[in-house]
Amino acid sequence: EVQLVESGGGLVQAGGSLRLSCAASGFTFDDYAIGWFRQAPGKEREGVSCISSSDGSTYYADSVKGRFTISSDNAKNTVYLQMNSLKPEDTAVYYCAAVITTGWGGGPSAEYDYWGQGTQVTVSS
């Protein structure tokens, strides 16, 4: 059974940090790219950051460049999203998703195959 389980969300003050984790199971992790997406109430889903588990190539949305860092621990089948200098506009439910690397294209616009349930991130001003 394929599973993507997010953790690490919570409530933090503006300027603070959180680290999200996405633990994957049920598929060959090294063959997939993992993306982080977020959706705030009343807004469209946004692709935040992605990483290829095979070669480590990454993507960041302009809104998070310089503040967020994505990394992958292939031994643990886990992808992390380190979020620093958080802003109230970062408040959203954050989801991780997986797409096979050959269909990735390097960004968030691919047809992702598997999705997690999401974790809430709330940044207070």
Side-chain angles (χ1 to χ4, degrees):
E1 179 189 4
V2 172
Q3 279 194 314
L4 293 171
V5 180
E6 303 96 335
S7 61
L11 173 64
V12 65
Q13 288 188 330
S17 298
L18 284 173
R19 188 178 80 156
L20 305 184
S21 299
C22 173
S25 60
F27 60 92
T28 305
F29 187 77
D30 291 1
D31 292 341
Y32 281 74
I34 304 295
W36 283 99
F37 298 78
R38 65 187 181 187
Q39 189 162 22
K43 294 189 176 181
E44 290 191 357
R45 188 175 64 201
E46 175 189 15
V48 174
S49 183
C50 314
I51 187 167
S52 167
S53 302
S54 60
D55 65 11
S57 55
T58 58
Y59 160 89
Y60 294 95
D62 288 342
S63 57
V64 305
K65 279 180 182 176
R67 300 189 298 123
F68 291 10
T69 303
I70 193 169
S71 61
S72 179
D73 185 339
N74 287 24
K76 295 182 178 180
N77 285 6
T78 300
V79 168
Y80 304 98
L81 186 67
Q82 178 68 43
M83 306 186 296
N84 298 329
S85 302
L86 282 162
K87 304 175 181 180
E89 51 263 44
D90 294 317
T91 295
V93 178
Y94 283 69
Y95 301 88
C96 65
V99 60
I100 196 162
T101 304
T102 52
W104 179 34
S109 60
E111 194 73 28
Y112 280 71
D113 300 300
Y114 310 117
W115 290 82
Q117 293 300 305
T119 185
Q120 176 70 47
V121 171
T122 303
V123 184
S124 63
S125 57

